[in-house]
Amino acid sequence: MEVHVARFALLLCITVATSASSQTCAPKKVNDNPWFHVREMLIGCWTSFVTEDNTEVHILNLAAMDEKIFSLNFTNAKPMNLILTSPETLYCLCNINADVNIYLSNSSAITLYGNQHHNNVHKQDFPTQDEELVRWAQQKFGGVTSFTTVRNLSNISSKGIAGTTNTSSHHCVLKNEDASEKHFMKIERTSLASPFTSCSPQQQIPSGEAELHIINIPENASTCNVSLRMDTKEIRVFLRGPQGTTWIILSQHTRFGSNNDILLPALAHRVPPSYTVNSDNAEDVQRKALDVFKVSTFTSYTELRPVGSTIIMALVRNESPAEPSPETVPEPVATDITPQQMPLLMQLYTSHDYVSPLDPNTRVQSDKRIYAEISGHTLGDIILTIKVIGCIVRSKGSCPVVKDLPFIPEACSPNSCPNSTRLSFSLDQLQELTSTTWDLECTVKLCSSEVGVHLKHLKQCKQEEISKHNLC
Ligand SMILES: *[C@@H]1O[C@H](CO)[C@@H](O)[C@H](O)[C@H]1NC(C)=O
Ligand SMILES: *[C@@H]1O[C@H](CO)[C@@H](O)[C@H](O)[C@H]1NC(C)=O
Ligand SMILES: *[C@@H]1O[C@H](CO)[C@@H](O)[C@H](O)[C@H]1NC(C)=O
Ligand SMILES: *[C@@H]1O[C@H](CO)[C@@H](O)[C@H](O)[C@H]1NC(C)=O
Ligand SMILES: *[C@@H]1O[C@H](CO)[C@@H](O)[C@H](O)[C@H]1NC(C)=O
Ligand SMILES: *[C@@H]1O[C@H](CO)[C@@H](O)[C@H](O)[C@H]1NC(C)=O
Ligand SMILES: *[C@@H]1O[C@H](CO)[C@@H](O)[C@H](O)[C@H]1NC(C)=O
Ligand SMILES: *[C@@H]1O[C@H](CO)[C@@H](O)[C@H](O)[C@H]1NC(C)=O
């Protein structure tokens, strides 16, 4: 009887091993990737600027035009000054209304056809270089509402709504952007040769488990900065690219593994590579992802060769994303975070009212109680909680003495000291020791959380060491 049981178990093992090994898929060329929208990110800006008489100022920068002719339909546009610029010889089928004024540089080789109100077309002497053009427009009109670079433009039309962003930025700062966010206009580009292959294994991730998407940029493709937007509750991604690739994860609730650097802009974190993947072969990459996430299948595999050096990939969602309730328990985003330089500052005080900070060059007195405040300086709306785990003092010199430093946490309301914590200690145990110069080192647990739109919480913790030199 027992023999039978053993044999059964062995059989079961073999079955599992076979089915696990079949959970990869062979990617095929596709025209529209069903999993990700991919867009090139080009230089631009978007602000809330309008002139005093409610006129918008838009700059359209046309580059790498495969077809020399494009159409522009701004018949239903809001009043605006529209600056068209391109280094190329282009023909525009332009339809505008009486409140749209088009500005062309007098050196421009753009020819306009169409219904245009001829008095609304102005040839002027202005610079064509991006920053200089923005500066010129700011001087001439008082500001710039948008600057958009489009490659291979075919058709552009206004949607008849205000062209301002609803964020508070008034000043056009050029940076790589996702122009599709500018919902006041519709941009159609000539279709590109499909840059994708993709596939998805037959066995799907069990419902209720987070999706796992694999993205692979082959070794001989150019290095690229890839932003990822995945507005979904929780998702896992495995990202592989040639050395020098940077993945920028814009969404919260994403767990990831990669052989490249990962940037978490919300936390101002750069996470170094967590895995090595020696091969860019589809099956090897898929197996590595299964191994890293300890799963037997995944949701999708996408292989792409980016056109351009900065792209954005947005997860395609047919259904509206599930809104997490505001009470969502904070969850760790990334398991593979290694300590980064989240700037921490330790300031010493002589009394517990924390009014007069000690000058860093003053010697502290070992018979007096010392009060310390540790504060974090972060970017954006990040709120830090800092908890001191332990402190030591270390003597300077060739044979350092290390002593534990007992401390008491000092009360401090979140209102009076945001992003910081307070403690106090006494140095009297150092009096009998010969060294006169000590370093103080505290290990702190640092949690950062960001309250974003939809009240999604992102919480992340790590340990940091902070030190203060020349104590006594
Ligand atoms: C331009 O857009 C308007 C409004 O969307 C539309 O009614 C009109 O037919 C378009 N004109 C051309 C020439 O496509
Ligand atoms: C453009 O206009 C400026 C001043 O109006 C003039 O000096 C310049 O020669 C013009 N350039 C061309 C290419 O016509
Ligand atoms: C422009 O379109 C052509 C094909 O229509 C394509 O070969 C080329 O790569 C495109 N350029 C850019 C920058 O997208
Ligand atoms: C700004 O607009 C975006 C997109 O239209 C929208 O999702 C967001 O909720 C708006 N934000 C505010 C503060 O109105
Ligand atoms: C641009 O508009 C024309 C006319 O409406 C249409 O035939 C063409 O397909 C459009 N181009 C793109 C890239 O959508
Ligand atoms: C990259 O390598 C693949 C397969 O090794 C090959 O088919 C492709 O032509 C190469 N592409 C470039 C741009 O070198
Ligand atoms: C990626 O972005 C960084 C920082 O903006 C930049 O220094 C780097 O050159 C970019 N890499 C590529 C391949 O464009
Ligand atoms: C401290 O936290 C507040 C929120 O309580 C945040 O608005 C602020 O930017 C943070 N300050 C620093 C220096 O990190």
Side-chain angles (χ1 to χ4, degrees), residues 106-107 124-125:
N106 66 351
S107 62
Q124 299 213 341
D125 188 33

Side-chain angles (χ1 to χ4, degrees), residues 376-384 414 418-420:
H377 293 263
T378 57
L379 302 172
D381 299 324
I382 297 174
I383 299 162
L384 289 177
N419 318 328
S420 63

Side-chain angles (χ1 to χ4, degrees), residues 26 35 72 84 127 191 254 270 333 341 352 390 410 426 434:
W35 306 104
L72 180 146
L84 292 180
S191 59
T254 303
R270 181 178 277 271
V333 237
Q341 287 80 41
H352 92 295
E410 292 287 334
S426 150
T434 51

Side-chain angles (χ1 to χ4, degrees), residues 55 67 79 82 89 95 105 131 149 185 191 200 225 227 248 250 258 264 286 289-290 357 361 364 379 422 424 452:
T55 304
E67 301 277 341
L82 177 64
T89 301
N95 285 292
S105 146
E131 275 89 6
T149 304
M185 56 187 178
S191 59
S200 126
N225 286 332
S227 295
I248 300 142
L250 302 174
S258 180
L264 300 174
Q286 293 171 16
L290 295 177
N361 299 318
V364 298
L379 302 172
R422 289 174 175 179
S424 72

Side-chain angles (χ1 to χ4, degrees), residues 312-367:
I312 183 161
M313 298 181 69
L315 191 69
V316 175
R317 282 279 149 210
N318 294 329
E319 77 279 27
S320 58
E323 287 293 317
S325 64
E327 300 79 34
T328 308
V329 181
E331 57 193 272
V333 237
T335 43
D336 304 308
I337 293 269
T338 52
Q340 309 285 312
Q341 287 80 41
M342 173 91 74
L344 280 177
L345 204 75
M346 177 151 51
Q347 177 64 56
L348 304 182
Y349 295 83
T350 46
S351 74
H352 92 295
D353 58 14
Y354 287 85
V355 174
S356 29
L358 269 171
D359 183 282
N361 299 318
T362 334
R363 293 182 156 234
V364 298
Q365 309 226 269
S366 55
D367 57 342

Side-chain angles (χ1 to χ4, degrees), residues 280-293:
D280 65 355
N281 171 276
E283 192 177 329
D284 295 341
V285 175
Q286 293 171 16
R287 283 192 196 289
K288 184 73 185 181
L290 295 177
D291 180 43
V292 161
F293 286 97

Side-chain angles (χ1 to χ4, degrees), residues 219 238-240 258-259 275-280 284-285 288:
E219 214 38 44
F238 188 76
L239 310 166
R240 202 220 76 91
S258 180
N259 69 321
Y275 304 97
T276 51
V277 192
N278 295 324
S279 156
D280 65 355
D284 295 341
V285 175
K288 184 73 185 181

